Amino acid sequence: MGFNPGQWKSFYAVFAGVITTFAFMGLLWTMDQLQAQKHHIQNRAEVQNVLSVVRANLESALNHRLHLIRGLTAFVTANPNFSSTEFHAFVSELGANLKGVRSLQLAPNAVVTHIHPEKGNEAAKGHDLLQDPQRRHAVLRAIEKKQFIIAGPVELLQGGKALIGRTPIFLTTPVQPDQPAYFWGLAIILLDFEPILQESGLLSHDLQFDFALRGKDGLGASGDPFFGNPRIFQADPVLQNVTLPNGSWQIAALPRQGWHATWSGRELFYLMGLFSSILVGWLLFFLIRRPSQLQETIDQGAAQLRTLSTAIRAVATGIVITNRNGIIEWVNPAFSEETGYAPEEIIGHTPALLKSGLQPDAFYQTLWSTIQAGQTWRGEFTNRHKEGRLYIDETIITPVMDKNNQIERFIAIKQDITRRRQKEIALRASHLRFRSLIQTAKDAIIIANREGQIETWNRGARDIFGYEEEEVLHRTIEFLMPEHYQEAHRIGLGRMQWQGELHLQSQIKELTGLRKNGEEFALELSLSHWKMEDQWFHLAIIRDLTPRKAIEKKLIEYNEKLEIMVQERTRQLLHTERLATLGTFSAGIAHEIKNPNAFISGNVAFLQQFWTLAAPMLETAVQNQPKSQVARFLKEIRPALEGIDKGSQRINTIIDSLKSYATGNRGTQKTITPLIIPLEEARTLLQHRFKHGTRLILSVPDHLTLSCNVQEISQVFINLFNNAMDAMDEQGLEQNRTIQVNAEQHDTQLRVLIQDNGPGIPKSVREEIFQPFFTTKGPTRGTGLGLSIVKGIIENHQGQITILDHEPPGATFELVFPGGRLKERL
């Protein structure tokens, strides 16, 4: 059976419709897949853009803090023998108070000894990193590679989770600079992980994405996950590398709701495809429109590329692009300005054209091994400009990967930091000179902020007040003054803060300070103020007035002693004048007294002779009356005559001694005199005192003589005897008061011992007792000049006087004179 033409047309129409329908459905399916792929690409691009911002913020937050460790390394290199005070001062000014910086540490020989701040980090001090199984591997890796290594996040000994950056420090010996550098220790920075995550935006709830990080200890994609859900890495996420110093992390991101398999309008698209006419029109429109969309996409990409190229050319930092072998393919104008080489002079060459020869081969080997491993390298070169001068080049080299994750080329970002480094060195030198000047000052130098909190404390302040620097920093200055001055200080500080800069005038005044041990002392305060960056500071220079006050006190005491000396000298002059007057009249007085005394003496001699003749006759006459008054009278006449004779002789002796002592008629010449003579003269002139119970025992041989001025030696014995009796009077001793004088010859010296049984002389005052105006007597009994005069007289006779150790009771003086002679040799 055959088909007629109409049937064939229908068949062809059905066949054509079926074929067209199937072809169109296939086209719809193809279009659906392309649209779904475009939708997926757009979604990934959106995630890529957000992830780029987050990664850039994360790198910025890390690098902003990690640069501190460079300053710490430079500090150790410049001053390996630093002190704890210098460490804390440097770190405080370095900027270690950035948010998220938990501490900066130095670990000589890998043992942590210096931490800033110490508060809250005490548990880490003394920690031996090489003995810690959890830290040992990372520390050895940093030492072996001689590179900055970031580890973590890790759990800290002092609590919490943090990133740990460690830089090994290698130093050369000054005496052997050509020898290989030795390992000094580690510079360490601890960063709290959470503030870095907050700054990067990873903790933000506004972003509709889930994030995850892996690459613990800077190991990149091969490292363990440490943030977010690890399953994100198995869910086809968008991945980017976070560049670290000598390492990297990998960050992954997914839309919070996951990737959508369908695209918006898909159901409507299929519904409308059922209508062939509309479908064909839409298909034609799509086939015409698709090339223009592709062209728009190409134009947009070209525009973005032009914008990026313009921005790279305009940036002030040098940028170099090389192939995987290090051959330069492109440089921006900033690079040419930095190096002096035009693009055509450098393209096709390697950066070795800039070598200065100051870096060893091992330095470049480490660089190449780092970037060829797919890691970013950061460091500094000392390069040579085209003109021949050297400059310091801070460089970051980042590998660029192809779609197969193979290195395609390298991008280097370079910056000439010579001037910055020179400024840093000059600033560091200026700072060190400033600190040296402050620290070596003997006066206390204290700098406080507007609220009076101490920010600088030098060694002079430590020596004066007794506080170490760490005990006073950030405390208000009022604790350095007695409590009764603190309220006035607070009022004054508040007045200065309220009145402002016009009333902050420099001033110098004397105040009272308070040492750490509670001692109050006088001080001189020089107070000045200055303003820096809208912040007021107070500078206090404090001088301890204790030595000056002590000198002033001694001057006052010396002045008082001088007044006493003047008074005593005046008294002595008056006494000398009286003695001179006494000497003028002594001859007449002696004559007037001696004449009557001679008459008495002569008559007594006559009466004694007469009585010798008359006594027998008178005794015979009264023989029969033995108890009569006349008999008793006869018995008393002879003793009476003998007493009158002795009294007359006593008067002669006293007159001779008084005349000799008062007038000094023997002059200043020394004569050879028996020692007993000045002793007896002293006894005679002090007879009025010896009558009141003091016994003078003279054990002095008559043959001992002395070349002396008798008057002056008599003065010596008078002063010593008077002092002994004064001491016994003050003790209240009334009986058995004895002064014993012994003398003997020793070779060519005459030794005299004067000993009393009084209270003695304390050892504590023996070194001062011969000083002028020193006295242990009451203010009305002594001037403190007696023993000073005695010492002077004896030394004038080439002798010496010493206080001997003597068991109580009593004191013993030893007088030694040279050239004692025997009386028989006269």
Side-chain angles (χ1 to χ4, degrees):
M1 180 179 69
F3 293 97
N4 56 35
Q7 290 175 328
W8 280 108
K9 291 180 179 180
S10 299
F11 175 77
Y12 284 126
V14 171
F15 181 77
V18 171
I19 293 301
T20 301
T21 300
F22 277 102
F24 181 68
M25 292 299 294
L27 182 61
L28 284 180
W29 182 85
T30 303
M31 295 287 294
D32 176 53
Q33 293 299 312
L34 291 174
Q35 189 66 20
Q37 185 177 4
K38 177 183 177 182
H39 176 70
H40 184 67
I41 292 173
Q42 289 177 342
N43 283 348
R44 292 186 72 87
E46 180 181 358
V47 175
Q48 185 81 19
N49 291 337
V50 173
L51 188 60
S52 296
V53 173
V54 172
R55 178 190 59 77
N57 291 339
L58 185 58
E59 287 183 346
S60 175
L62 283 168
N63 293 331
H64 187 55
R65 292 164 173 81
L66 292 177
H67 83 279
L68 297 177
I69 204 165
R70 291 186 179 179
L72 195 58
T73 303
F75 168 74
V76 175
T77 303
N79 184 18
N81 299 316
F82 60 89
S83 66
S84 178
T85 301
E86 291 172 336
F87 167 75
H88 287 291
F90 178 82
V91 174
S92 297
E93 297 180 8
L94 187 63
N97 56 351
L98 290 174
K99 182 179 180 182
V101 178
R102 171 167 288 207
S103 69
L104 286 171
Q105 304 177 6
L106 287 175
N109 297 317
V111 179
V112 178
T113 60
H114 294 79
I115 305 176
H116 182 90
E118 291 186 347
K119 185 175 182 180
N121 297 292
E122 295 84 352
K125 201 161 188 179
H127 183 209
D128 190 339
L129 300 174
L130 294 177
Q131 300 300 321
D132 187 342
Q134 297 181 354
R135 282 26 173 208
R136 177 180 173 84
H137 177 72
V139 171
L140 289 177
R141 184 158 62 99
I143 297 173
E144 179 182 357
K145 292 188 174 184
K146 298 184 179 180
Q147 293 179 347
F148 177 85
I149 298 295
I150 190 165
V154 298
E155 297 292 336
L156 298 178
L157 295 175
Q158 56 270 43
K161 181 179 290 187
L163 299 172
I164 304 178
R166 301 184 180 96
T167 293
I169 300 174
F170 290 85
L171 302 178
T172 57
T173 305
V175 296
Q176 295 179 326
D178 297 334
Q179 295 298 319
Y182 67 92
F183 173 65
W184 178 88
L186 297 167
I188 304 171
I189 184 171
L190 272 71
L191 301 178
D192 285 324
F193 194 40
E194 186 172 349
I196 296 174
L197 295 177
Q198 289 177 342
E199 288 187 25
S200 66
L202 287 172
L203 300 181
S204 174
H205 297 289
D206 296 334
L207 300 177
Q208 300 300 313
F209 303 99
D210 291 328
F211 299 96
L213 287 168
R214 67 183 175 186
K216 186 176 180 180
D217 295 332
L219 298 179
S222 62
D224 295 335
F226 58 87
F227 173 78
N229 190 343
R231 294 181 179 179
I232 293 177
F233 289 100
Q234 282 77 45
D236 189 25
V238 177
L239 299 173
Q240 287 191 13
N241 288 329
V242 179
T243 302
L244 302 175
N246 305 311
S248 66
W249 294 339
Q250 193 173 65
I251 184 170
L254 281 177
R256 192 161 292 170
Q257 303 301 324
W259 302 116
H260 292 288
T262 61
W263 46 276
S264 178
R266 185 183 185 196
E267 294 82 1
L268 180 63
F269 174 76
Y270 275 107
L271 179 64
M272 294 180 65
L274 298 175
F275 302 96
S276 58
S277 59
I278 299 175
L279 178 61
V280 171
W282 183 87
L283 178 61
L284 293 175
F285 172 79
F286 178 79
L287 292 176
I288 296 173
R289 180 64 178 161
R290 183 62 177 170
S292 78
Q293 288 179 337
L294 292 175
Q295 185 62 45
E296 288 179 2
T297 302
I298 292 172
D299 292 343
Q300 290 176 357
Q304 292 178 353
L305 185 60
R306 286 193 300 272
T307 302
L308 180 61
S309 176
T310 301
I312 292 176
R313 289 179 178 276
V315 74
T317 303
I319 298 177
V320 182
I321 300 177
T322 73
N323 63 17
R324 63 179 299 166
N325 297 318
I327 305 299
I328 298 176
E329 297 179 343
W330 183 88
V331 297
N332 70 339
F335 174 84
S336 297
E337 182 178 353
E338 177 181 323
T339 64
Y341 289 96
E344 59 271 15
E345 296 177 300
I346 196 74
I347 292 177
H349 297 274
T350 66
L353 190 64
L354 305 175
K355 277 187 176 182
S356 65
L358 298 180
Q359 279 85 21
D361 292 340
F363 176 85
Y364 294 102
Q365 291 172 2
T366 301
L367 184 155
W368 272 104
S369 64
T370 300
I371 60 178
Q372 287 178 343
Q375 300 177 353
T376 298
W377 182 88
R378 298 171 183 265
E380 296 178 2
F381 298 96
T382 299
N383 282 339
R384 190 177 299 278
H385 192 273
K386 181 181 178 181
E387 298 175 353
R389 61 179 173 84
L390 299 178
Y391 67 96
I392 301 175
D393 187 355
E394 185 179 57
T395 303
I396 300 176
I397 303 176
T398 302
V400 179
M401 303 295 185
D402 60 15
K403 62 181 180 180
N404 297 321
N405 203 31
Q406 298 297 316
I407 296 176
E408 187 175 30
R409 53 180 45 86
F410 300 103
I411 297 178
I413 301 175
K414 307 168 73 64
Q415 183 176 7
D416 184 350
I417 62 170
T418 305
R419 292 184 179 179
R420 187 181 78 187
R421 187 55 49 81
Q422 291 172 346
K423 289 181 180 179
E424 289 176 355
I425 294 173
L427 180 62
R428 189 179 303 116
S430 175
H431 171 72
L432 292 175
R433 285 195 299 269
F434 174 72
R435 284 193 59 83
S436 177
L437 178 63
I438 287 181
Q439 292 299 333
T440 56
K442 295 299 182 183
D443 292 339
I445 299 179
I446 304 172
I447 299 177
N449 59 21
R450 181 183 179 91
E451 288 71 31
Q453 296 172 335
I454 297 173
E455 296 190 354
T456 299
W457 180 268
N458 74 333
R459 295 191 187 101
R462 178 198 65 188
D463 295 339
I464 290 175
F465 288 97
Y467 292 96
E468 295 294 338
E469 184 178 17
E470 54 269 20
E471 297 181 272
V472 303
L473 289 182
H474 309 305
R475 293 181 63 181
T476 54
I477 201 169
E478 62 187 30
F479 75 95
L480 300 177
M481 59 191 69
E483 186 174 355
H484 49 277
Y485 289 111
Q486 294 180 4
E487 183 61 29
H489 165 74
R490 285 190 286 267
I491 294 173
L493 183 61
R495 187 183 300 114
M496 285 194 295
Q497 293 173 347
W498 174 74
Q499 290 175 338
E501 58 186 273
L502 294 179
H503 295 273
L504 292 178
Q505 300 178 352
S506 299
Q507 50 189 314
I508 299 176
K509 58 175 67 176
E510 288 191 11
L511 299 171
T512 301
L514 183 66
R515 304 191 206 275
K516 182 179 180 180
N517 60 9
E519 175 190 352
E520 295 185 10
F521 67 101
L523 59 86
E524 181 182 78
L525 169 66
S526 174
L527 183 64
S528 57
H529 320 271
W530 80 93
K531 192 176 184 180
M532 183 173 64
E533 298 180 356
D534 298 326
Q535 175 67 39
W536 277 102
F537 292 92
H538 310 292
L539 171 64
I541 300 177
I542 298 173
R543 177 165 295 175
D544 188 350
L545 296 182
T546 303
R548 193 176 82 184
K549 293 295 183 182
I551 292 174
E552 290 176 355
K553 182 179 178 181
K554 288 184 178 180
L555 286 175
I556 292 173
E557 293 176 352
Y558 187 67
N559 185 57
E560 293 175 351
K561 289 182 177 181
L562 282 178
E563 291 181 0
I564 297 173
M565 186 183 296
V566 170
Q567 294 173 3
E568 178 62 22
R569 183 58 178 165
T570 301
R571 188 188 66 78
Q572 290 178 351
L573 290 173
L574 292 175
H575 178 66
T576 302
E577 184 178 354
R578 287 196 298 269
L579 290 179
T581 303
L582 180 60
T584 303
F585 294 104
S586 61
I589 294 172
H591 178 72
E592 292 299 326
I593 294 177
K594 279 195 172 185
N595 283 342
N597 190 54
F599 174 77
I600 294 172
S601 178
N603 288 332
V604 168
F606 169 74
L607 290 174
Q608 285 178 332
Q609 291 177 359
F610 172 78
W611 183 251
T612 301
L613 298 174
M617 291 183 293
L618 293 174
E619 291 175 355
T620 303
V622 296
Q623 188 173 7
N624 297 325
Q625 298 178 349
K627 295 183 179 180
S628 65
Q629 186 173 358
V630 176
R632 290 196 301 272
F633 174 75
L634 292 175
K635 292 180 180 179
E636 294 177 1
I637 289 177
R638 189 180 299 277
L641 291 175
E642 292 176 354
I644 293 173
D645 184 49
K646 289 182 180 179
S648 176
Q649 293 177 8
R650 177 63 178 166
I651 290 173
N652 282 332
T653 301
I654 291 174
I655 291 301
D656 290 340
S657 296
L658 178 61
K659 181 179 178 181
S660 173
Y661 183 79
T663 63
N665 58 359
R666 281 168 288 209
T668 59
Q669 297 297 324
K670 297 181 177 67
T671 59
I672 298 176
T673 306
L675 180 61
I676 196 64
I677 291 177
L679 284 168
E680 289 293 352
E681 190 169 283
R683 184 210 295 267
T684 299
L685 293 177
L686 293 177
Q687 188 64 36
H688 63 289
R689 297 202 67 180
F690 286 123
K691 289 181 178 180
H692 296 286
T694 302
R695 189 158 58 101
L696 177 63
I697 303 173
L698 300 178
S699 299
V700 179
D702 292 340
H703 62 270
L704 292 181
T705 62
L706 177 66
S707 177
C708 67
N709 182 300
V710 177
Q711 177 189 357
E712 292 182 350
I713 297 301
S714 296
Q715 180 72 51
V716 168
F717 293 129
I718 288 171
N719 287 355
L720 293 176
F721 294 164
N722 263 328
N723 283 347
M725 287 187 281
D726 288 343
M728 288 185 281
D729 288 343
E730 291 184 1
Q731 188 185 24
L733 186 63
E734 296 181 356
Q735 297 179 350
N736 299 323
R737 294 157 58 108
T738 303
I739 299 176
Q740 176 81 34
V741 180
N742 295 287
E744 58 183 348
Q745 183 81 25
H746 280 285
D747 295 331
T748 60
Q749 291 183 333
L750 178 62
R751 180 170 178 261
V752 181
L753 295 179
I754 302 175
Q755 180 178 343
D756 64 70
N757 62 346
I761 301 173
K763 291 185 178 180
S764 59
V765 301
R766 290 185 182 180
E767 293 183 0
E768 302 176 80
I769 200 167
F770 292 107
Q771 298 297 323
F773 304 108
F774 179 84
T775 180
T776 58
K777 302 177 184 179
T780 61
R781 299 201 60 183
T783 63
L785 292 171
L787 287 178
S788 176
I789 292 172
V790 166
K791 187 170 186 276
I793 292 172
I794 293 174
E795 290 178 349
N796 188 45
H797 284 74
Q798 288 77 47
Q800 61 182 14
I801 181 170
T802 308
I803 304 173
L804 300 183
D805 289 334
H806 184 266
E807 293 296 330
T812 301
F813 286 88
E814 180 186 53
L815 285 61
V816 179
F817 297 98
R821 296 173 176 85
L822 296 179
K823 185 175 179 180
E824 289 77 9
R825 297 178 184 176
L826 294 178

